[in-house]
Amino acid sequence: MLHLRLITPADRTESAVRLIEETVGTTHLVVLPGAARDPAGDVVMVDVAREAGDELLGKLRKLDLERTGSIAVESIDLSLSERAEKASEDAPGEAADAVLWEHLADATHEESTLSFTYLAFITLATMIAACGVVLDNAVLIVGAMAVGPEFGPLAGFSTAVVQRAPRLALRSLTALLVGFAVAMAVTVGFSLFMDALHLFSEDQLEGDRPNTGFVYAPDSFSFVVAVLAGIAGTLSLTSAKSGALIGVAISVTTVPAAANAAVALSYGDMRQTVGSAEQLLLNLLGIVVAGTLTLLAQKWFWNRRNAAAP
């Protein structure tokens, strides 16, 4: 269930209430006339089944409440109410399959912002992965994959394509490209510094690396795994099962490939640099294509469901 809290101008409260009452899957409607002070207006609260949430939000947005008032949405972890159970039963579809497009756009917008924190995480992840590829340590590679924040911009770009939001697409692409460029540049310096301390060596990079050699040797499975991870990651975002994102993060070879390219570049090994760059681009492409197609499929499914609903 979702909990909606609206601040509505007095002349639009009745319209908002009517929309709520006409939406199947709503309950616990509360109207507090004149309760809001900033901005001034009425407060309307209602619980709605997740599968009916996107439809209701779309209708409420047409009242221009984000400009004249506000719309706040919270997830309800526990609701002990027969009315809530009935609302969930009456709403068409399943809650786990529901997509809240407004929430998805807002979440990916935040995750796709080129901030100091984002740059710090992707740079640290790449440096950790650099240690992993030089030491041929799979544990460090997995840790670097989990730390990397690159799935946010990738999901943001896919969402922007489906929602036709060019500003979000540009923001996501900027975060992705600038993030990896900064991370790889810093990692080149990090590699040279570690070499000066005799902690990295070219012999380690060029030696037999059974655990991490795959990061500069892309093949068809690289793209297949990226596509599967892109589908899983997108589903985890749209269904609010964020725990699955950890599994997605450690199944693709984006950060390790960037790290290997940076270390190889610091030693002038263009073979590994080019191979790692190809691995990186192949994974990024697979995730974006899979994410976009998954969102398009979900959008088509829900539009068809709404058209078939009585």
Side-chain angles (χ1 to χ4, degrees), residues 199-210:
L199 296 176
F200 281 8
S201 71
E202 188 172 2
D203 289 340
Q204 289 175 297
L205 182 70
E206 301 295 342
D208 187 26
R209 290 158 49 196

Side-chain angles (χ1 to χ4, degrees), residues 154-217:
L154 291 169
F157 188 80
S158 295
T159 302
V161 171
V162 174
Q163 295 292 84
R164 298 179 182 178
R167 300 178 78 178
L168 176 58
L170 180 60
R171 176 188 292 267
S172 302
L173 195 59
T174 299
L176 197 64
L177 297 180
V178 174
F180 271 114
V182 170
M184 292 173 70
V186 173
T187 303
V188 168
F190 174 70
S191 177
L192 294 172
F193 174 73
M194 295 292 280
D195 182 77
L197 296 178
H198 304 293
L199 296 176
F200 281 8
S201 71
E202 188 172 2
D203 289 340
Q204 289 175 297
L205 182 70
E206 301 295 342
D208 187 26
R209 290 158 49 196
N211 293 321
T212 59
F214 67 92
V215 299
Y216 62 89

